[in-house]
Each structure stands twice: as structure tokens, then as C-alpha cells.
């Protein structure tokens, strides 16, 4: 019974994500709080535009919206998928050594991208 509830919770999360996608597609997106406060773009700025462009098969536009997350999205999906499966089967999953290294490299690359995209004179979307 617990697995069914967790699967339903996951389905609701996907449905909520789809609903937000539909709202964002018609320009009702939630603004980036980090950008509102600091005036700088965070590493995640452009994700909604990237996902909308990918849904429309406009991969050049998706890459332009957020190049780093566009390249790393399969790695991110892997980690999200593994966490979701472990949560559904109620198993305490641990990352192996390679997954830990990849996860730290992912975090470091997003931090570096967040810094570089805000340096004046550097052209990064």
C-alpha cells in the first residue's frame, strides 16, 4: 500500500510539473528569486525556457536558454530517477564512488557556470 501511495505522489509531482509547464508556456512562470534579489543569473535561470524549447523540438533554443543544464540533463535525470526509485521501494540507496565523483563534479560545474555567466564581458546566455 505504501508503494502505491508513493507512486501516486510521484504521478502528482509529474502532473504538477506538466501544469507548471503549461502555465510557463503562456508566460505565467514563477520569477527567479535569486535574480530578483541580486540582479544576477543563477545557474538554473533559463530552465523553464529550455524545457519548453525541448518540448517543441527546438534544441538550439534549449541550448541557448541554459547550455550547461542542457548538456548535463541526462546525468541529472539519472540521479533524480535513482532517488525516486529508492524512495518508492523504500530502500536506503547509497551512491557508489563513481556516482559521488560525478555528483560533486556536477555541483562544481554548476557553481562555476553561475559565476562565469555573471562576469561582464563573458558571453554566456
Amino acid at each position: 500500500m505504501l508503494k502505491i501511495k508513493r507512486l501516486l505522489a510521484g504521478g502528482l509531482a509529474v502532473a504538477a510539473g506538466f501544469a507548471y509547464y503549461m502555465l510557463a508556456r503562456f508566460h505565467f512562470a514563477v520569477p527567479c528569486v535569486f535574480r530578483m534579489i541580486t540582479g544576477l543569473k543563477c545557474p538554473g535561470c533559463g530552465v523553464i525556457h529550455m524545457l519548453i524549447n525541448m518540448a517543441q523540438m527546438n534544441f538550439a533554443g534549449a541550448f541557448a536558454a541554459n547550455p550547461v543544464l542542457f548538456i548535463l540533463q541526462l546525468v541529472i535525470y539519472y540521479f533524480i530517477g535513482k532517488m525516486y526509485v529508492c524512495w518508492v521501494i523504500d530502500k536506503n540507496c547509497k551512491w557508489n564512488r563513481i556516482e559521488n565523483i560525478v555528483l560533486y563534479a556536477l555541483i562544481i560545474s554548476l557553481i562555476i557556470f553561475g559565476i562565469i555567466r555573471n562576469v561582464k564581458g563573458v558571453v554566456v546566455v
Side-chain angles (χ1 to χ4, degrees):
M1 190 67 174
L2 182 64
K3 289 182 184 180
I4 293 172
K5 286 182 180 179
R6 289 185 176 188
L7 283 172
L8 286 174
L12 286 174
V14 169
F18 180 74
Y20 182 74
Y21 159 76
M22 293 305 291
L23 288 172
R25 186 161 189 234
F26 297 107
H27 307 291
F28 293 111
V30 175
C32 177
V33 176
F34 181 81
R35 190 169 186 182
M36 286 174 34
I37 293 171
T38 66
L40 302 172
K41 289 184 177 181
C42 72
C45 281
V47 170
I48 298 299
H49 294 284
M50 179 186 78
L51 294 174
I52 290 171
N53 282 320
M54 285 177 47
Q56 296 171 346
M57 299 298 177
N58 179 7
F59 297 111
F63 182 80
N66 194 318
V68 172
L69 286 178
F70 181 80
I71 293 169
L72 296 175
Q73 66 183 316
L74 291 178
V75 176
I76 294 168
Y77 294 153
Y78 167 78
F79 284 109
I80 292 171
K82 183 174 180 177
M83 288 188 300
Y84 178 70
V85 167
C86 291
W87 180 68
V88 167
I89 63 174
D90 202 23
K91 181 179 174 188
N92 187 12
C93 294
K94 295 184 179 180
W95 308 116
N96 63 35
R97 183 178 172 94
I98 293 173
E99 289 172 332
N100 273 324
I101 292 170
V102 169
L103 193 56
Y104 285 121
L106 177 70
I107 292 168
I108 291 168
S109 66
L110 288 172
I111 290 170
I112 291 171
F113 174 66
I115 293 168
I116 290 175
R117 82 184 314 189
N118 289 298
V119 174
K120 294 191 187 294
V122 177
V123 180
V124 177
V125 179

